[in-house]
Amino acid sequence: MHCSSPKMVCETKIVADEHDAISGTKKDSIIVSSSQMWSSSPSSAPLSPAEEKDGRAADAVFIREFERADQAEVRRIFYEGIMERIPNTAFRGLRQQPNTQFIYALLTLMCFVMTKSVALTCCTPFILMGARYYYSRKVIHTYLDCALHTDMADIEAYYMKPTGSCFWVAVLEGRVVGIVAAQGREEDNTVELRRMSVDSRYRGKGIAKALGRRVLEFAVRNNYAAVVLGTTAVKLAAHKLYESLGFRRTGQSEDYRLPGMSRSPLERLFFQIRYSHYRLQLREE
């Protein structure tokens, strides 16, 4: 099967007043502190208690480049993060699909009209939800297989060797707890934020935000015009994270096609996914 990496295009605007003050080479390691804040104005507003808590947690997180010994933990974190998408897409995602809700309601009504069976009609919604879970699992497993056999199979070749790209891990108490990648795109002078994921046991500590800031710093150092990304995340928290980093949503696809999808009628009926594009503009071209 030919597997291509899905385009992740996300867009937000950011004004970094200290671009020239940022020093360092293309790829290096940093310790993230709460003082490393990205803002849209020269003056920083007082931090809320939640932000202060995140800042203190981030102080203990060491962000460094990927090493070959990290491969197993990186793949585990990525795998577990993608697997969480199955129930989220199947069930939580239905809330965002009014047209699909209408179709399912119509199918339930048709079942009653055709069978006159109250018991069978009552079972129809559960059958439909079961089918959604089955197809979500099938499609996401196929996508995961593609990723694990392309860029996530050889992170060094995909992200560490090419100029303008990099892959980082977040280390907390000696354990790899988060991952993120940056992939440069010469055609439009942007860098794409990819593969961000945090171990579920360490969420809520500001680790994802620290990883995101590392990509922004990398983009500034390498004179990229913008950072872009795309996400199929259903949970609102993921979108709030990108917005807190300065990203702005620039588009949305209601019927996105993941790599490996067959687009059969049944798959179309039971698997739909929303793809959001974000962008963070660093400087004018």
Side-chain angles (χ1 to χ4, degrees):
M1 180 188 302
H2 174 70
C3 299
S4 59
S5 299
K7 283 287 183 184
M8 299 179 69
V9 187
C10 148
E11 314 206 1
T12 302
K13 188 158 188 172
I14 185 172
V15 177
D17 297 311
E18 298 180 331
H19 289 181
D20 295 334
I22 298 176
S23 61
T25 58
K26 170 180 171 289
K27 300 176 182 178
D28 57 4
S29 301
I30 63 169
I31 295 178
V32 179
S33 69
S34 57
S35 63
Q36 290 176 293
M37 299 297 294
W38 291 83
S39 64
S40 58
S41 62
S43 59
S44 298
L47 297 179
S48 67
E51 289 173 325
E52 289 179 351
K53 180 180 178 182
D54 282 350
R56 288 193 297 271
D59 279 339
V61 179
F62 181 61
I63 309 293
R64 62 167 172 78
E65 292 179 21
F66 168 84
E67 297 173 358
R68 188 170 298 178
D70 301 324
Q71 183 75 24
E73 279 298 282
V74 166
R75 284 168 65 91
R76 178 189 64 80
I77 292 171
F78 175 71
Y79 177 88
E80 292 177 356
I82 295 297
M83 288 297 288
E84 290 178 4
R85 302 290 180 92
I86 295 174
N88 286 337
T89 302
F91 307 128
R92 193 190 297 260
L94 186 58
R95 301 177 189 175
Q96 304 170 353
Q97 299 160 3
N99 291 339
T100 303
Q101 293 177 29
F102 174 77
I103 292 172
Y104 290 177
L106 185 61
L107 289 173
T108 302
L109 179 61
M110 289 175 60
C111 176
F112 177 74
V113 171
M114 296 175 66
T115 66
K116 305 299 183 183
S117 170
V118 174
L120 185 57
T121 302
C122 290
C123 290
T124 301
F126 296 99
I127 295 171
L128 293 172
M129 290 300 99
R132 280 184 67 86
Y133 183 85
Y134 170 80
Y135 279 98
S136 292
R137 190 175 188 278
K138 177 177 177 289
V139 171
I140 290 174
H141 263 288
T142 302
Y143 163 73
L144 187 57
D145 184 64
C146 285
L148 291 175
H149 285 84
T150 51
D151 62 310
M152 297 303 288
D154 194 345
I155 291 170
E156 286 186 307
Y158 272 81
Y159 297 110
M160 303 307 296
K161 292 180 180 179
T163 301
S165 297
C166 196
F167 195 104
W168 298 271
V169 297
V171 180
L172 180 62
E173 300 174 352
R175 178 188 294 269
V176 174
V177 297
I179 61 174
V180 73
Q183 188 170 45
R185 308 194 313 188
E186 293 183 1
E187 63 272 17
D188 57 0
N189 194 30
T190 63
V191 64
E192 183 180 0
L193 186 155
R194 308 192 65 202
R195 304 310 194 199
M196 181 187 283
S197 187
V198 174
D199 190 317
S200 59
R201 295 169 294 179
Y202 296 90
R203 291 175 188 167
K205 299 179 181 293
I207 295 171
K209 185 172 285 189
L211 287 165
R213 286 173 180 158
R214 187 65 186 92
V215 174
L216 302 188
E217 184 182 64
F218 174 82
V220 171
R221 284 180 175 168
N222 288 276
N223 296 315
Y224 284 106
V227 181
V228 297
L229 72 85
T231 181
T232 58
V234 174
K235 290 184 178 179
L236 186 60
H239 298 272
K240 287 186 175 180
L241 167 65
Y242 298 132
E243 291 170 0
S244 73
L245 288 168
F247 286 90
R248 296 292 177 268
R249 186 180 296 178
T250 59
Q252 191 166 267
S253 303
E254 293 294 335
D255 193 20
Y256 182 68
R257 180 172 183 172
L258 285 173
M261 289 182 65
S262 67
R263 307 299 288 171
S264 67
L266 285 176
E267 194 173 88
R268 285 174 173 271
L269 179 62
F270 294 115
F271 183 86
Q272 305 88 26
I273 196 164
R274 176 181 290 180
Y275 187 80
S276 298
H277 305 260
Y278 285 88
R279 181 183 187 91
L280 193 156
Q281 193 71 32
L282 295 170
R283 60 185 176 82
E284 298 299 329
E285 287 285 19

